[in-house]
């Protein structure tokens, strides 16, 4: 690594550790609460940080959920300020394209950033919330615009009639044969399947809870 860049990063580290920890704590613990409880969590966290002499320097306006810590400027910023200002192309036909226009909001920018962070950390993510809160749209937009080139997306939607066989068929159709061989221990032949070399699959399942339950409550597509 570049010695100068390494020295600069080492000098900056003490200034970013605490704010990044506060942000991680906010979403790891506070991300589970509902909208009304966010204000209670915000008040509790601010009080705790003050009692412990924290130097995280949270902004006085809004809640801890409304801001993110920018490592470059070493400051807290509203989520919307981390993306370019939105503008509608003058060529857009509002009558034809109105339903497909997606305007970024503070929430969508926040959740997209969190998704990207979790994805890079190899974390499985369950996006939950009431109907009509743009969960699917946010993930789909992230798939369309926010993926690294090393990821190969697979999108599918469950329904009440989705079976385990259908789910496996959809996944198998995306796999490529990587190699064949024989297991050294058992002597059994095997075939390894997966994405293209240098790629990783990223699977998005919409309506994850939809498959019909069996007699004893099992949902084979979900288990698969």
């Amino acid at each position: 690594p570049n010695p100068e860049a390494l020295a600069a990063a080492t000098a900056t580290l003490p200034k970013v550790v605490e704010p990044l920890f506060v942000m991680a704590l906010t979403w790891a613990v506070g991300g589970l609460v509902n909208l009304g409880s966010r204000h209670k969590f915000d008040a509790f966290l601010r009080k705790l940080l003050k009692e412990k002499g924290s130097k995280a320097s949270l902004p006085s306006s809004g809640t801890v959920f409304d801001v993110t810590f920018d490592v470059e400027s070493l400051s807290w910023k509203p989520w919307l300020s981390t993306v370019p200002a939105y503008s509608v192309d003058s060529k857009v036909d509002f009558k034809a394209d109105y339903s497909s226009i997606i305007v970024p909001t503070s929430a969508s920018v926040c959740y997209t950033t969190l998704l990207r962070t979790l994805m890079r950390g190899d974390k499985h993510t369950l996006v939950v919330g009431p109907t009509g809160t743009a969960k699917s749209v946010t993930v789909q937009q992230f798939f369309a615009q926010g993926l690294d080139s090393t990821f190969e997306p697979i999108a599918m939607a469950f329904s009440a009639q989705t079976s385990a066989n259908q789910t496996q068929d959809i996944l198998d159709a995306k796999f490529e044969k990587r190699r064949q061989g024989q297991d050294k221990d058992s002597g059994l032949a095997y075939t390894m399947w997966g994405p293209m070399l240098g790629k990783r699959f990223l699977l998005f399942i919409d309506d994850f809870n939809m498959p019909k339950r069996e007699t004893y409550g099992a949902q084979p597509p979900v288990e698969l």
Side-chain angles (χ1 to χ4, degrees):
N2 186 325
E4 294 182 0
L6 183 60
T10 302
T12 305
L13 188 61
K15 301 177 183 178
V16 303
V17 168
E18 194 168 344
L20 291 178
F21 172 78
V22 170
M23 186 176 171
L25 176 66
T26 297
W27 289 103
V29 180
L32 301 175
V33 304
N34 58 27
L35 185 60
S37 297
R38 284 190 173 190
H39 294 282
K40 298 178 182 179
F41 182 87
D42 175 69
F44 168 78
L45 183 58
R46 288 176 183 273
K47 179 181 178 182
L48 182 63
L49 293 175
K50 184 176 181 180
E51 291 175 352
K52 299 299 181 180
S54 170
K55 298 179 181 178
S57 303
L58 285 166
S60 57
S61 60
T63 69
V64 289
F65 299 95
D66 299 326
V67 292
T68 180
F69 186 75
D70 180 40
V71 178
E72 299 296 329
S73 63
L74 300 178
S75 63
W76 293 92
K77 292 184 175 182
W79 286 105
L80 276 178
S81 69
T82 63
V83 296
Y86 178 77
S87 61
V88 179
D89 194 319
S90 59
K91 298 180 180 179
V92 170
D93 183 348
F94 284 94
K95 291 185 178 180
D97 303 327
Y98 180 78
S99 61
S100 63
I101 296 175
I102 301 175
V103 180
T105 65
S106 179
S108 68
V109 173
C110 168
Y111 298 142
T112 299
T113 303
L114 294 177
L115 271 175
R116 185 179 295 107
T117 302
L118 291 167
M119 176 198 68
R120 289 173 176 169
D122 294 331
K123 304 299 181 183
H124 299 294
T125 306
L126 181 64
V127 182
V128 299
T131 301
T133 51
K135 300 183 299 297
S136 298
V137 171
T138 299
V139 176
Q140 289 166 356
Q141 188 178 27
F142 169 66
F143 265 49
Q145 302 177 359
L147 286 184
D148 295 338
S149 59
T150 55
F151 289 95
E152 185 74 24
I154 300 177
M156 58 191 298
F158 281 171
S159 71
Q161 306 305 318
T162 301
S163 67
N165 285 339
Q166 290 172 334
T167 303
Q168 185 166 350
D169 288 342
I170 293 172
L171 294 177
D172 286 345
K174 301 291 185 179
F175 293 167
E176 293 188 358
K177 187 182 292 185
R178 298 285 287 272
R179 70 169 183 262
Q180 292 178 302
Q182 190 174 31
D183 185 75
K184 294 181 180 178
D185 297 324
S186 65
L188 297 175
Y190 69 85
T191 301
M192 182 177 291
W193 298 81
M196 295 175 58
L197 287 175
K199 295 278 189 178
R200 299 170 64 192
F201 280 137
L202 192 62
L203 178 62
F204 167 50
I205 302 176
D206 203 5
D207 295 326
F208 191 68
N209 64 319
M210 286 297 290
K212 185 179 179 180
R213 295 178 183 275
E214 295 183 340
T215 304
Y216 298 102
Q219 292 174 287
V222 176
E223 295 168 13
L224 179 63

PDB file of all heavy atoms in Angstrom, residues 10 28 35 46 64 73-74 90 97 99 102 105 117 142 145 163 174 190 218:
ATOM      1  N   THR A  10      -4.225   6.027   9.109  1.00  0.00           N
ATOM      2  CA  THR A  10      -3.931   5.732  10.519  1.00  0.00           C
ATOM      3  C   THR A  10      -4.183   6.953  11.395  1.00  0.00           C
ATOM      4  O   THR A  10      -4.704   6.844  12.510  1.00  0.00           O
ATOM      5  CB  THR A  10      -2.461   5.278  10.666  1.00  0.00           C
ATOM      6  OG1 THR A  10      -2.238   4.134   9.843  1.00  0.00           O
ATOM      7  CG2 THR A  10      -2.156   4.923  12.108  1.00  0.00           C
ATOM      8  N   ALA A  28     -27.935  -1.482  13.945  1.00  0.00           N
ATOM      9  CA  ALA A  28     -27.918  -2.875  14.406  1.00  0.00           C
ATOM     10  C   ALA A  28     -28.955  -3.112  15.498  1.00  0.00           C
ATOM     11  O   ALA A  28     -29.591  -4.159  15.558  1.00  0.00           O
ATOM     12  CB  ALA A  28     -26.529  -3.247  14.917  1.00  0.00           C
ATOM     13  N   LEU A  35     -41.455   3.365  13.727  1.00  0.00           N
ATOM     14  CA  LEU A  35     -41.236   4.801  13.527  1.00  0.00           C
ATOM     15  C   LEU A  35     -41.430   5.591  14.816  1.00  0.00           C
ATOM     16  O   LEU A  35     -40.640   6.477  15.135  1.00  0.00           O
ATOM     17  CB  LEU A  35     -42.194   5.318  12.442  1.00  0.00           C
ATOM     18  CG  LEU A  35     -42.007   6.781  12.028  1.00  0.00           C
ATOM     19  CD1 LEU A  35     -40.605   7.002  11.473  1.00  0.00           C
ATOM     20  CD2 LEU A  35     -43.059   7.165  10.981  1.00  0.00           C
ATOM     21  N   ARG A  46     -28.715   9.550  22.711  1.00  0.00           N
ATOM     22  CA  ARG A  46     -28.058  10.846  22.933  1.00  0.00           C
ATOM     23  C   ARG A  46     -27.719  11.036  24.416  1.00  0.00           C
ATOM     24  O   ARG A  46     -26.640  11.530  24.763  1.00  0.00           O
ATOM     25  CB  ARG A  46     -28.960  11.982  22.455  1.00  0.00           C
ATOM     26  CG  ARG A  46     -29.065  12.085  20.931  1.00  0.00           C
ATOM     27  CD  ARG A  46     -30.056  13.165  20.525  1.00  0.00           C
ATOM     28  NE  ARG A  46     -30.230  13.237  19.088  1.00  0.00           N
ATOM     29  CZ  ARG A  46     -29.476  13.947  18.259  1.00  0.00           C
ATOM     30  NH1 ARG A  46     -28.470  14.668  18.749  1.00  0.00           N
ATOM     31  NH2 ARG A  46     -29.718  13.950  16.960  1.00  0.00           N
ATOM     32  N   VAL A  64     -30.922  10.287  15.055  1.00  0.00           N
ATOM     33  CA  VAL A  64     -29.715   9.577  14.618  1.00  0.00           C
ATOM     34  C   VAL A  64     -29.985   8.765  13.344  1.00  0.00           C
ATOM     35  O   VAL A  64     -29.046   8.379  12.638  1.00  0.00           O
ATOM     36  CB  VAL A  64     -29.200   8.640  15.727  1.00  0.00           C
ATOM     37  CG1 VAL A  64     -28.619   9.432  16.870  1.00  0.00           C
ATOM     38  CG2 VAL A  64     -30.304   7.707  16.216  1.00  0.00           C
ATOM     39  N   SER A  73     -15.266  13.866   4.930  1.00  0.00           N
ATOM     40  CA  SER A  73     -15.337  15.196   5.547  1.00  0.00           C
ATOM     41  C   SER A  73     -15.331  15.137   7.072  1.00  0.00           C
ATOM     42  O   SER A  73     -15.317  16.174   7.742  1.00  0.00           O
ATOM     43  CB  SER A  73     -16.608  15.916   5.081  1.00  0.00           C
ATOM     44  OG  SER A  73     -17.767  15.215   5.505  1.00  0.00           O
ATOM     45  N   LEU A  74     -15.356  13.923   7.621  1.00  0.00           N
ATOM     46  CA  LEU A  74     -15.380  13.720   9.081  1.00  0.00           C
ATOM     47  C   LEU A  74     -16.550  14.469   9.719  1.00  0.00           C
ATOM     48  O   LEU A  74     -16.400  15.135  10.750  1.00  0.00           O
ATOM     49  CB  LEU A  74     -14.057  14.162   9.714  1.00  0.00           C
ATOM     50  CG  LEU A  74     -12.805  13.433   9.238  1.00  0.00           C
ATOM     51  CD1 LEU A  74     -11.565  14.006   9.912  1.00  0.00           C
ATOM     52  CD2 LEU A  74     -12.905  11.944   9.515  1.00  0.00           C
ATOM     53  N   SER A  90     -35.760  16.328 -19.377  1.00  0.00           N
ATOM     54  CA  SER A  90     -36.744  17.099 -20.142  1.00  0.00           C
ATOM     55  C   SER A  90     -37.445  16.253 -21.205  1.00  0.00           C
ATOM     56  O   SER A  90     -38.507  16.630 -21.703  1.00  0.00           O
ATOM     57  CB  SER A  90     -36.069  18.305 -20.810  1.00  0.00           C
ATOM     58  OG  SER A  90     -35.027  17.872 -21.679  1.00  0.00           O
ATOM     59  N   ASP A  97     -44.550   7.546 -18.847  1.00  0.00           N
ATOM     60  CA  ASP A  97     -43.528   7.066 -17.912  1.00  0.00           C
ATOM     61  C   ASP A  97     -43.777   7.443 -16.458  1.00  0.00           C
ATOM     62  O   ASP A  97     -42.926   7.196 -15.612  1.00  0.00           O
ATOM     63  CB  ASP A  97     -42.154   7.619 -18.325  1.00  0.00           C
ATOM     64  CG  ASP A  97     -41.787   7.246 -19.748  1.00  0.00           C
ATOM     65  OD1 ASP A  97     -42.193   6.156 -20.172  1.00  0.00           O
ATOM     66  OD2 ASP A  97     -41.120   8.057 -20.425  1.00  0.00           O
ATOM     67  N   SER A  99     -45.500   6.286 -13.968  1.00  0.00           N
ATOM     68  CA  SER A  99     -45.434   5.232 -12.955  1.00  0.00           C
ATOM     69  C   SER A  99     -44.027   4.670 -12.762  1.00  0.00           C
ATOM     70  O   SER A  99     -43.763   3.993 -11.761  1.00  0.00           O
ATOM     71  CB  SER A  99     -46.387   4.088 -13.329  1.00  0.00           C
ATOM     72  OG  SER A  99     -46.011   3.520 -14.572  1.00  0.00           O
ATOM     73  N   ILE A 102     -38.901   7.283 -10.345  1.00  0.00           N
ATOM     74  CA  ILE A 102     -38.582   7.033  -8.938  1.00  0.00           C
ATOM     75  C   ILE A 102     -37.760   8.205  -8.404  1.00  0.00           C
ATOM     76  O   ILE A 102     -36.629   8.431  -8.848  1.00  0.00           O
ATOM     77  CB  ILE A 102     -37.808   5.722  -8.763  1.00  0.00           C
ATOM     78  CG1 ILE A 102     -38.627   4.545  -9.309  1.00  0.00           C
ATOM     79  CG2 ILE A 102     -37.458   5.495  -7.303  1.00  0.00           C
ATOM     80  CD1 ILE A 102     -37.884   3.232  -9.279  1.00  0.00           C
ATOM     81  N   THR A 105     -35.656   9.463  -1.920  1.00  0.00           N
ATOM     82  CA  THR A 105     -36.034  10.066  -0.652  1.00  0.00           C
ATOM     83  C   THR A 105     -34.945   9.764   0.368  1.00  0.00           C
ATOM     84  O   THR A 105     -34.065   8.932   0.121  1.00  0.00           O
ATOM     85  CB  THR A 105     -37.374   9.505  -0.142  1.00  0.00           C
ATOM     86  OG1 THR A 105     -37.203   8.100   0.153  1.00  0.00           O
ATOM     87  CG2 THR A 105     -38.477   9.679  -1.185  1.00  0.00           C
ATOM     88  N   THR A 117     -23.850  -1.928   2.057  1.00  0.00           N
ATOM     89  CA  THR A 117     -22.902  -2.261   3.123  1.00  0.00           C
ATOM     90  C   THR A 117     -23.049  -3.720   3.546  1.00  0.00           C
ATOM     91  O   THR A 117     -22.057  -4.439   3.709  1.00  0.00           O
ATOM     92  CB  THR A 117     -23.126  -1.345   4.336  1.00  0.00           C
ATOM     93  OG1 THR A 117     -22.976   0.024   3.939  1.00  0.00           O
ATOM     94  CG2 THR A 117     -22.127  -1.645   5.444  1.00  0.00           C
ATOM     95  N   PHE A 142     -31.777  -0.720  -6.415  1.00  0.00           N
ATOM     96  CA  PHE A 142     -30.412  -1.034  -5.993  1.00  0.00           C
ATOM     97  C   PHE A 142     -29.785  -2.064  -6.928  1.00  0.00           C
ATOM     98  O   PHE A 142     -28.617  -1.946  -7.319  1.00  0.00           O
ATOM     99  CB  PHE A 142     -30.427  -1.568  -4.560  1.00  0.00           C
ATOM    100  CG  PHE A 142     -29.123  -2.173  -4.118  1.00  0.00           C
ATOM    101  CD1 PHE A 142     -27.998  -1.385  -3.975  1.00  0.00           C
ATOM    102  CD2 PHE A 142     -29.024  -3.528  -3.845  1.00  0.00           C
ATOM    103  CE1 PHE A 142     -26.788  -1.939  -3.573  1.00  0.00           C
ATOM    104  CE2 PHE A 142     -27.829  -4.081  -3.448  1.00  0.00           C
ATOM    105  CZ  PHE A 142     -26.709  -3.289  -3.307  1.00  0.00           C
ATOM    106  N   GLN A 145     -28.910  -0.204 -10.224  1.00  0.00           N
ATOM    107  CA  GLN A 145     -27.947   0.904 -10.249  1.00  0.00           C
ATOM    108  C   GLN A 145     -26.786   0.768  -9.264  1.00  0.00           C
ATOM    109  O   GLN A 145     -25.755   1.405  -9.458  1.00  0.00           O
ATOM    110  CB  GLN A 145     -28.672   2.226  -9.951  1.00  0.00           C
ATOM    111  CG  GLN A 145     -29.795   2.526 -10.929  1.00  0.00           C
ATOM    112  CD  GLN A 145     -30.546   3.799 -10.564  1.00  0.00           C
ATOM    113  OE1 GLN A 145     -30.234   4.454  -9.570  1.00  0.00           O
ATOM    114  NE2 GLN A 145     -31.548   4.147 -11.349  1.00  0.00           N
ATOM    115  N   SER A 163     -43.614 -23.715  -5.722  1.00  0.00           N
ATOM    116  CA  SER A 163     -43.165 -24.976  -5.124  1.00  0.00           C
ATOM    117  C   SER A 163     -41.640 -24.990  -5.017  1.00  0.00           C
ATOM    118  O   SER A 163     -40.950 -24.174  -5.634  1.00  0.00           O
ATOM    119  CB  SER A 163     -43.623 -26.162  -5.970  1.00  0.00           C
ATOM    120  OG  SER A 163     -42.966 -26.161  -7.235  1.00  0.00           O
ATOM    121  N   LYS A 174     -29.808 -20.568 -13.856  1.00  0.00           N
ATOM    122  CA  LYS A 174     -28.814 -19.489 -13.802  1.00  0.00           C
ATOM    123  C   LYS A 174     -27.393 -20.013 -13.598  1.00  0.00           C
ATOM    124  O   LYS A 174     -26.418 -19.299 -13.836  1.00  0.00           O
ATOM    125  CB  LYS A 174     -29.158 -18.530 -12.651  1.00  0.00           C
ATOM    126  CG  LYS A 174     -30.533 -17.879 -12.756  1.00  0.00           C
ATOM    127  CD  LYS A 174     -30.603 -16.887 -13.887  1.00  0.00           C
ATOM    128  CE  LYS A 174     -31.947 -16.170 -13.902  1.00  0.00           C
ATOM    129  NZ  LYS A 174     -32.031 -15.165 -14.989  1.00  0.00           N
ATOM    130  N   TYR A 190     -18.682 -35.939  -8.747  1.00  0.00           N
ATOM    131  CA  TYR A 190     -19.458 -34.736  -8.440  1.00  0.00           C
ATOM    132  C   TYR A 190     -19.344 -33.734  -9.581  1.00  0.00           C
ATOM    133  O   TYR A 190     -18.424 -33.786 -10.387  1.00  0.00           O
ATOM    134  CB  TYR A 190     -18.983 -34.096  -7.132  1.00  0.00           C
ATOM    135  CG  TYR A 190     -17.600 -33.473  -7.224  1.00  0.00           C
ATOM    136  CD1 TYR A 190     -17.425 -32.165  -7.694  1.00  0.00           C
ATOM    137  CD2 TYR A 190     -16.476 -34.190  -6.848  1.00  0.00           C
ATOM    138  CE1 TYR A 190     -16.177 -31.597  -7.786  1.00  0.00           C
ATOM    139  CE2 TYR A 190     -15.212 -33.633  -6.937  1.00  0.00           C
ATOM    140  CZ  TYR A 190     -15.063 -32.335  -7.405  1.00  0.00           C
ATOM    141  OH  TYR A 190     -13.817 -31.772  -7.499  1.00  0.00           O
ATOM    142  N   ALA A 218     -44.731 -26.213   7.227  1.00  0.00           N
ATOM    143  CA  ALA A 218     -43.485 -26.039   6.457  1.00  0.00           C
ATOM    144  C   ALA A 218     -43.755 -25.267   5.171  1.00  0.00           C
ATOM    145  O   ALA A 218     -44.843 -25.338   4.605  1.00  0.00           O
ATOM    146  CB  ALA A 218     -42.891 -27.395   6.123  1.00  0.00           C
TER     147      ALA A 218
END
